[in-house]
Amino acid sequence: MTTNVIDRRKAVIASDSRWSIVHGRDLIFVDDTGFDKIADRHFGSLICAGDAALIESWKTWFRTPILDV
């Protein structure tokens, strides 16, 4: 579960750090993992949700010096 917030008037973006996993019949939540779901550049920001490995790939791509679009 991810909550993303964008305030264009104040130029602020935010995302929670909560992760969830199904374990048996339980849904387990973990807060404050230290894994950021936001990547910043001088021209904009990337806000992610979903699979951690995929998020890390998107953040790595976004932070490369020259983007391959």
Side-chain angles (χ1 to χ4, degrees):
M1 177 187 326
T2 298
T3 302
N4 298 318
V5 178
I6 302 169
D7 184 335
R8 289 183 176 208
R9 290 183 183 166
K10 295 184 180 180
V12 173
I13 63 170
S15 180
D16 67 359
S17 61
R18 174 175 281 185
W19 290 92
S20 60
I21 187 170
V22 176
H23 181 71
R25 297 180 65 176
D26 298 321
L27 181 59
I28 299 171
F29 295 99
V30 179
D31 289 321
D32 299 325
T33 63
F35 182 83
D36 294 328
K37 298 177 183 179
I38 299 173
D40 291 313
R41 301 252 336 228
H42 68 281
F43 59 82
S45 299
L46 180 70
I47 306 171
C48 301
D51 179 78
L54 184 58
I55 289 172
E56 190 59 37
S57 294
W58 276 108
K59 290 181 353 182
T60 299
W61 166 80
F62 189 72
R63 291 177 173 150
T64 59
I66 299 174
L67 288 177
D68 180 8
V69 293

